[in-house]
Amino acid sequence: KSVVLVLHDLAQALKIADKVIVLKDGEILDQGNTDEVYKNGSLEKAFGVRIEKIETHKGETIWHYSHFS
C-alpha cells in the first residue's frame, strides 16, 4: 500500500517520507529514499536551499534547511 502526499515543506517531507520524488520545472530531477536524494544534492538543486541532516543523541533525525545567500 502507498500514500502519495505533496508537500512544499522540505523538512516535513523528509521527516515523514520513506521515498521522495524531486521535481524541477515539471520534470523528475531525482527519486529514491530520503537519504539517497539528500546525498545526491537534488533538493539543493531543485529548491536553491542548503540542507543539513542532524542526528540527535536520542536517535532522532532533524532536517534543517536555509536559502542560499
Side-chain angles (χ1 to χ4, degrees):
K1 296 183 179 184
S2 298
V3 173
V4 176
L5 179 64
V6 177
L7 294 171
H8 291 146
D9 181 330
L10 298 178
Q12 186 176 8
L14 292 169
K15 181 179 179 179
I16 64 174
D18 296 319
K19 295 185 179 186
V20 296
I21 298 174
V22 181
L23 300 174
K24 182 172 182 172
D25 300 324
E27 301 289 327
I28 295 175
L29 181 62
D30 199 359
Q31 60 184 328
N33 70 46
T34 54
D35 281 332
E36 291 171 347
V37 172
Y38 166 70
K39 290 176 186 173
N40 292 341
S42 303
L43 295 167
E44 293 179 345
K45 292 175 191 169
F47 297 100
V49 295
R50 184 170 290 114
I51 300 176
E52 181 180 6
K53 181 180 179 182
I54 303 166
E55 300 283 345
T56 70
H57 67 281
K58 293 182 179 181
E60 299 170 329
T61 300
I62 298 171
W63 297 94
H64 178 265
Y65 66 94
S66 58
H67 294 278
F68 292 126
S69 303

